[in-house]
Amino acid sequence: DEHVPQALEDCADAGVRSAVVFSAGSATERDGQAPLHERIGAIARRTGMRVLGPNTEGFFNVAGAVAANFSIVVEDEAGAATRDLQDRDGVSIISHSGGLGFGLYSRARRMHLPVRHVVTTGNEADVEALEIIDHLVREGRSRAIMMFLEGFRRPQDFARVAAAAAEASVPRVVMKVGRSDASRRAA
């Protein structure tokens, strides 16, 4: 974890425009420094580099054959899934949880549903689930968007994004966790 901020700084200095941070960023101060996810967010804002994570399992742009993740289901299925989607629309999966996001992908593949994207956002130091959903709606290739969400930093944005999806006739299936004491602790 302590190497992540410097690695991001080095990336920004080299002109890298986006990064994925798999590391499970601590939410507590360490050695007088701000929590890792806050430092990552500050680097992203200062440099303009977009950062997915920390604590993400990454993403899979199935149609574009870009697998920036460590999910075993993608390793096993990437080629077949990409061939299936050559010029087809499909379902997109957005999840705060990496395990659930790629679990939904695996289940969808077994049901022969064409999946275009799987994006797991983790702790969202920079890139947020609603930004991704908004982008996918504007892209126009997602027939539906499945979401597993723990919450939003800006809940007012959900209404705007949901309205845009409704206007584009893109159904959303949302599983929101965190209402019970047990689920809040897990989230």
Side-chain angles (χ1 to χ4, degrees), residues 64-75:
V66 179
N69 63 72
F70 55 91
S71 174
I72 190 70
V73 298
V74 170
E75 181 179 323

Side-chain angles (χ1 to χ4, degrees), residues 37-127:
H37 72 276
E38 289 181 15
R39 289 185 283 155
I40 291 170
I43 292 167
R45 286 186 298 278
R46 182 176 45 73
T47 64
M49 180 173 54
R50 300 309 312 263
V51 180
L52 183 65
N55 198 25
T56 177
E57 197 163 332
F59 71 91
F60 184 23
N61 176 342
V62 183
V66 179
N69 63 72
F70 55 91
S71 174
I72 190 70
V73 298
V74 170
E75 181 179 323
D76 292 344
E77 302 226 355
T82 300
R83 282 189 303 277
D84 290 350
L85 273 175
Q86 294 280 309
D87 292 312
R88 294 177 58 197
D89 294 345
V91 175
S92 290
I93 300 167
I94 311 302
S95 177
H96 284 143
S97 164
L100 277 168
F102 284 97
L104 288 168
Y105 168 75
S106 180
R107 175 88 177 197
R109 289 291 298 158
R110 282 195 309 275
M111 296 174 67
H112 305 287
L113 288 173
V115 177
R116 288 193 67 76
H117 301 91
V118 181
V119 182
T120 65
T121 60
N123 294 113
E124 297 187 346
D126 178 38
V127 175

Side-chain angles (χ1 to χ4, degrees), residues 130 154-165:
L130 289 176
R154 293 184 301 274
Q156 67 278 11
D157 288 352
F158 181 73
R160 179 186 53 76
V161 170

